[in-house]
Amino acid sequence: MSSPSIEPRFISSRRLRLVACCLAFLIAQAAIGREISENRRTPAVKAVAANRESVVNIHGQKTVTGQDDGKADGTRCVNGMGTGIVIDERGYIITNYHVVEGVRKIEVTLVNEENYIAQLISNDPVTDLAVIKINVPRKLPVITIGTSSDLLIGEPVIAVGNAYGYENTVTMGHVSALHRSVQVSETQSYDDLIQTDAPINPGNSGGPLLNIDGEMIGVNVAVRAGAQNIGFAIPVDKAMTIATKLMSVQRLESNWHGMSTKDSADTGHGALVGSIDKDSPAAACGVKPGDVILNVSSTEIARPLDLERALLGHKSGEKFEMVVKRNDETVNLSLQLAASPRRGASQATATTADDDAAWDMLGLKLTPAPAAQFKSLQSRYRGGMAVTAVRAEGPAAKQGIRKGDVLVGMHVWETVTQDNVNYVLNRPDFAEIEPLKFYILRGTDHGSETLFGHLSLANRTK
């Protein structure tokens, strides 16, 4: 008698596993398709869902100086992490400068786990903000930008970020205080911060602080060492003002429109024109101070950043149809982008008149700080102007600036070259930024310290 075959049992077992897999799939599909109670879809849930795809995670390695690392040169390689916020669908991302400073390869991970290598486009060490860019084959969702002008003490807020490397972490809290000044290290201080008790941890830096309506009202920037539930964020209005300068067509592409703009009083609706450069494209097309720019070539302008975004990526000579509100009327204009008149400017071509402006207005003689000298200061800044002379009783002398200091920033701009200094001093809206805030580095036995103050130039030579 032949032995019974085991093949039917094998087939039966396989079928059972197949049936089990099908049942598991159907149960999972039923769970996915299950209707979720609206009670669970709280405003916080909706706020996060609306913006999570516009928050990215940033990783990279950098070399830092250490005292007890066992290396003769005192340096070591560390893994850095942080968060970024998509502010333009073409892949422009704002983050903290300290997140990407010195990083050899900036790696960006999207919420769908796609990875890209980013390029550092522009930065401002004074305010600790930077713009990076990734090249993506599609349009990215952009964060919903709100305002920090009407924040309420006690209102709920949500922080999203790469906390301790745990990607897309969401924490909640409240606005604890406004207008905080924080010194986080010898080389970095912040003014006018939002204080929150939403847990903000290492890795959250550069991520958004949202209100309960899902609008970004701040950029998370710092935690208080040794304290619990105390975090800080740069107000979004200030961050977007800096982003406008970092992404300006004049700075990135040496193109020129010739307008200084600021947020309209009607928040979220247009860019208010403050001043217009003489013989500029804006002057030629008929823009006037007080106009509110509403639309540029079918792109709605909600704030000054949108104007720069609309013009970015275009060539000089291109024309743009522009809609402005003038008093109670709507006016159609045609703006032709032009090459910047400062194109190709460098320290080598700076004029004596430019040098005299710093002496006359600030009471300073300046020269680019040599790379070796600047490196010895162990600074996070990328360069500065060394003070070679200080005029007695001048504005700088009255604020304690002395020979040997290095000027690294004025107002919201870095001062790496003479051209940077001239840009600030020659601005047509200069009166609006007085007293002029300055940042200097002063050498110490342990590297350097960052000092700041304000220069009052009301009686300067015209």
Side-chain angles (χ1 to χ4, degrees):
M1 180 181 292
S2 61
S3 59
S5 172
I6 64 171
E7 185 176 354
R9 290 183 181 179
F10 173 75
I11 295 174
S12 177
S13 176
R14 185 171 62 183
R15 285 177 178 172
L16 283 173
R17 288 198 299 270
L18 180 60
V19 169
C21 289
C22 290
L23 284 173
F25 176 76
L26 291 173
I27 291 171
Q29 288 296 102
I32 293 172
R34 185 179 65 187
E35 184 176 352
I36 295 178
S37 167
E38 280 303 310
N39 292 332
R40 294 172 60 192
R41 298 185 190 277
T42 64
V45 171
K46 294 177 181 177
V48 173
N51 292 284
R52 66 190 302 268
E53 293 186 5
S54 57
V55 181
V56 306
N57 301 301
I58 300 174
H59 303 269
Q61 286 190 336
K62 65 173 71 178
T63 301
V64 299
T65 302
Q67 297 295 328
D68 301 318
D69 50 23
K71 290 187 177 182
D73 60 359
T75 62
R76 56 194 172 95
C77 190
V78 300
N79 292 317
M81 58 187 175
T83 308
I85 306 160
V86 178
I87 56 174
D88 183 271
E89 60 190 13
R90 292 166 289 185
Y92 289 92
I93 296 164
I94 192 169
T95 186
N96 289 143
Y97 177 55
H98 75 259
V99 169
V100 296
E101 178 194 11
V103 175
R104 288 175 296 209
K105 185 168 70 171
I106 305 170
E107 301 177 38
V108 170
T109 303
L110 305 184
V111 71
N112 63 0
E113 298 187 355
E114 290 181 4
N115 293 299
Y116 295 90
I117 302 302
Q119 178 185 1
L120 178 59
I121 296 296
S122 188
N123 66 83
D124 181 49
V126 173
T127 57
D128 193 22
L129 288 170
V131 172
I132 62 176
K133 186 179 185 300
I134 58 176
N135 295 320
V136 287
R138 65 184 187 282
K139 295 180 179 180
L140 294 180
V142 176
I143 197 81
T144 304
I145 301 174
T147 179
S148 49
S149 63
D150 60 0
L151 294 181
L152 305 173
I153 303 297
E155 73 169 286
V157 290
I158 306 161
V160 185
N162 188 21
Y164 285 111
Y166 293 104
E167 299 176 348
N168 307 309
T169 295
V170 175
T171 56
M172 293 188 63
H174 303 82
V175 174
S176 303
L178 301 172
H179 311 301
R180 292 297 200 200
S181 294
V182 180
Q183 183 87 30
V184 296
S185 69
E186 290 184 356
T187 60
Q188 185 66 59
S189 63
Y190 302 93
D191 296 323
D192 193 29
L193 296 183
I194 303 166
Q195 180 182 328
T196 173
D197 64 352
I200 295 176
N201 299 292
N204 274 116
S205 292
L209 187 69
L210 306 174
N211 64 18
I212 205 66
D213 291 330
E215 300 169 328
M216 181 172 71
I217 49 92
V219 176
N220 299 320
V221 68
V223 294
R224 181 74 179 185
Q228 293 184 352
N229 296 332
I230 298 180
F232 299 95
I234 300 171
V236 71
D237 292 349
K238 180 177 182 179
M240 291 303 100
T241 296
I242 302 302
T244 302
K245 302 180 190 306
L246 295 180
M247 290 181 64
S248 74
V249 293
Q250 187 165 13
R251 180 169 184 152
L252 296 187
E253 298 175 340
S254 295
N255 285 330
W256 186 42
H257 53 67
M259 294 176 282
S260 67
T261 58
K262 57 185 178 180
D263 288 333
S264 170
D266 186 8
T267 304
H269 295 85
L272 177 64
V273 178
S275 60
I276 300 171
D277 295 344
K278 183 180 179 182
D279 299 326
S280 67
C285 81
V287 178
K288 296 182 179 180
D291 285 351
V292 177
I293 303 172
L294 302 176
N295 192 289
V296 174
S297 291
S298 300
T299 298
E300 183 178 351
I301 307 299
R303 54 187 54 83
L305 175 62
D306 296 332
L307 172 63
E308 302 299 334
R309 291 174 55 222
L311 301 178
L312 202 60
H314 295 276
K315 298 178 180 179
S316 62
E318 288 191 50
K319 291 186 177 181
F320 301 84
E321 298 306 311
M322 190 163 62
V323 180
V324 305
K325 185 172 77 172
R326 182 174 296 164
N327 299 322
D328 293 327
E329 296 181 0
T330 298
V331 180
N332 295 309
L333 302 171
S334 182
L335 175 73
Q336 185 173 16
L337 200 60
S340 171
R342 305 185 72 84
R343 194 169 194 164
S346 66
Q347 176 60 27
T349 59
T351 65
T352 302
D354 287 331
D355 295 333
D356 288 345
W359 182 254
D360 292 340
M361 297 171 66
L362 306 176
L364 292 175
K365 288 289 186 183
L366 301 168
T367 188
Q373 175 195 351
F374 200 81
K375 185 177 181 180
S376 70
L377 295 175
Q378 300 176 16
S379 165
R380 69 184 304 157
Y381 304 101
R382 70 187 186 103
M385 297 293 290
V387 177
T388 59
V390 182
R391 189 176 74 239
E393 301 301 319
K398 291 178 180 178
Q399 290 297 311
I401 297 178
R402 60 197 190 199
K403 183 178 178 180
D405 289 342
V406 178
L407 181 70
V408 292
M410 293 193 298
H411 192 48
V412 297
W413 296 285
E414 61 183 350
T415 51
V416 178
T417 67
Q418 183 68 48
D419 190 52
N420 296 150
V421 176
N422 299 338
Y423 174 78
V424 179
L425 299 183
N426 295 328
R427 287 188 62 82
D429 61 345
F430 188 88
E432 298 177 14
I433 60 178
E434 285 195 75
L436 180 66
K437 189 167 186 177
F438 66 86
Y439 299 82
I440 62 167
L441 290 180
R442 180 168 294 168
T444 69
D445 293 337
H446 305 289
S448 68
E449 60 180 342
T450 302
L451 305 174
F452 63 90
H454 293 84
L455 296 166
S456 179
L457 309 178
N459 297 321
R460 68 186 185 278
T461 302
K462 302 292 184 183

